[in-house]
């Protein structure tokens, strides 16, 4: 039984306040959503898989000098994280054309971009997370110039690290979404990294190993997420 107070109920995670003012408990849920939450389904085992995948990714990033909100795991679907002041921006990085970018510019999915593209979206479900640019971010005081420069630097660095990590396990990192928070005057990586918020394509077959399976109703995501987890675990064991 959880006595902690629920302070945020998200689509894929719930967040509880703990006795320690500076520490939150994040619980990964089995819910999958598409169309910004308009389509919802309970998928048994998803929370467990995303927690484990995100854990391996965050540990790898931390081992490579990236600061994150992660403190420790408390169960298979729960972790303790630092309480941060979230920046209300979803930061998307794209290596290869897919999804909304392909639709918006009428481009062929799967085309590698000559340089990574960074995009920002304002986190607001009621508005369907509209795209936002830096000048709008500054004018609305969502983040400062110094913070956005730091975010860009970190996202590019994270991309380099993750691109390499996934390449090792025969996965092409197509695109992904990150969120950052302020912690004692520093910007740190928060939220999660899982196949729910990244496009991961098998390097050989180019098949999706991510939430596109759910978005496009191509079957169960569980075996696919499990495959990503197994590859990450095997890599960890091999090194
Ligand atoms: N993404 C996300 N949350 C969102 C929107 C996008 O995690 O609310 C991720 C998505 O999984 C993909 C990347 O950001 O890895 C780029 O998504 P895109 O803009 O192509 O949108 P989509 O085609 O998913 O609507």
């Amino acid at each position: 039984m959880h006595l902690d107070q629920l302070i945020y109920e998200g689509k894929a995670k719930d967040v509880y306040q703990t006795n320690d003012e500076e520490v939150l408990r994040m619980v990964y849920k089995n819910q999958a959503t598409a169309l910004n939450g308009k389509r919802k389904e309970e998928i048994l085992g998803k929370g467990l898989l995303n927690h484990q995948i995100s854990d391996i990714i965050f540990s790898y990033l931390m081992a490579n000098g990236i600061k994150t909100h992660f403190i420790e795991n408390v169960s298979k679907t729960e972790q303790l994280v630092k309480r941060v002041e979230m920046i209300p921006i979803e930061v998307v990085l794209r290596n290869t054309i897919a999804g909304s970018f392909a639709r918006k510019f009428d481009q062929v999915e799967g085309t590698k971009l000559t340089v990574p593209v960074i995009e920002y979206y304002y986190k607001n479900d009621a508005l369907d997370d509209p795209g936002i640019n830096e000048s709008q971010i500054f004018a609305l005081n969502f983040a400062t110039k110094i913070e956005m420069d730091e975010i860009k630097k970190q996202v590019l660095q994270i991309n380099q690290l993750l691109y390499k990590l996934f390449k090792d396990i025969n996965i092409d990192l197509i695109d992904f979404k990150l969120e950052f928070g302020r912690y004692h005057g520093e910007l740190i990586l928060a939220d999660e990294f899982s196949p729910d918020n990244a496009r991961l394509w098998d390097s050989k077959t180019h098949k999706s190993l991510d939430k596109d399976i759910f978005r496009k109703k191509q079957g169960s995501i569980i075996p696919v997420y499990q495959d990503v987890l197994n590859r990450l675990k095997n890599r960890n064991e091999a090194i």
Side-chain angles (χ1 to χ4, degrees):
M1 192 173 61
H2 298 310
L3 298 171
D4 299 341
Q5 195 198 343
L6 179 66
I7 57 165
Y8 171 79
E9 192 169 2
K11 290 191 282 255
K13 295 185 294 295
D14 288 338
V15 180
Y16 296 84
Q17 180 62 57
T18 67
N19 293 334
D20 184 337
E21 172 90 357
E22 300 229 345
V23 178
L24 302 179
R25 187 160 50 80
M26 211 162 79
V27 182
Y28 286 78
K29 300 202 285 194
N30 283 334
Q31 184 168 272
T33 59
L35 307 169
N36 213 21
K38 289 184 214 42
R39 191 177 138 229
K40 270 189 208 156
E41 257 175 56
E42 267 305 286
I43 301 179
L44 201 66
K46 183 174 94 82
L48 197 71
L49 287 167
N50 276 353
H51 181 200
Q52 293 179 85
I53 293 170
S54 194
D55 239 36
I56 293 177
I57 303 287
F58 269 54
S59 304
Y60 165 82
L61 291 175
M62 287 161 80
N64 283 283
I66 303 289
K67 292 190 175 136
T68 84
H69 69 166
F70 177 79
I71 302 173
E72 63 171 329
N73 288 321
V74 279
S75 81
K76 287 195 161 175
T77 55
E78 300 168 294
Q79 57 187 197
L80 297 182
V81 298
K82 292 171 184 160
R83 186 190 188 114
V84 299
E85 187 191 338
M86 288 303 289
I87 292 180
I89 306 292
E90 297 195 339
V91 184
V92 168
L93 185 139
R94 301 177 189 276
N95 291 308
T96 296
I97 296 176
S100 71
F101 191 89
R103 294 193 293 274
K104 185 173 182 183
F105 299 112
D106 190 21
Q107 297 289 311
V108 180
E109 277 220 322
T111 311
K112 182 106 167 59
L113 292 156
T114 45
V115 284
V117 167
I118 299 179
E119 295 171 1
Y120 307 111
Y121 294 87
Y122 173 43
K123 265 177 81 72
N124 186 313
D125 280 343
L127 299 176
D128 272 349
D129 297 348
I132 188 166
N133 66 27
E134 277 194 298
S135 144
Q136 292 164 331
I137 291 172
F138 303 149
L140 295 170
N141 293 314
F142 290 150
T144 65
K145 168 103 175 63
I146 293 172
E147 287 174 329
M148 291 311 291
D149 286 348
E150 181 61 27
I151 284 178
K152 263 183 282 186
K153 198 178 103 196
Q154 286 199 32
V155 170
L156 289 171
Q157 206 181 337
I158 290 169
N159 182 46
Q160 280 192 353
L161 290 166
L162 293 185
Y163 196 86
K164 218 162 41 175
L165 170 81
F166 282 110
K167 203 76 203 154
D168 274 359
I169 55 171
N170 286 312
I171 290 176
D172 289 332
L173 179 59
I174 304 301
D175 58 30
F176 59 86
K177 184 266 294 180
L178 299 176
E179 295 180 28
F180 292 85
R182 299 182 184 101
Y183 182 74
H184 295 288
E186 248 188 341
L187 259 181
I188 64 172
L189 181 64
D191 194 48
E192 67 175 270
F193 185 102
S194 74
D196 269 7
N197 35 57
R199 283 196 172 88
L200 308 170
W201 292 359
D202 183 276
S203 298
K204 287 202 186 82
T205 64
H206 306 297
K207 287 219 167 90
S208 294
L209 303 171
D210 56 57
K211 205 168 95 172
D212 272 350
I213 300 268
F214 175 77
R215 292 190 189 100
K216 298 179 180 171
K217 301 188 178 171
Q218 289 172 338
S220 170
I221 57 169
I222 296 300
V224 169
Y225 283 29
Q226 185 70 57
D227 181 12
V228 173
L229 176 62
N230 291 348
R231 293 194 205 192
L232 286 167
K233 276 186 175 165
N234 289 341
R235 178 190 172 274
N236 274 0
E237 277 162 22
I239 56 173

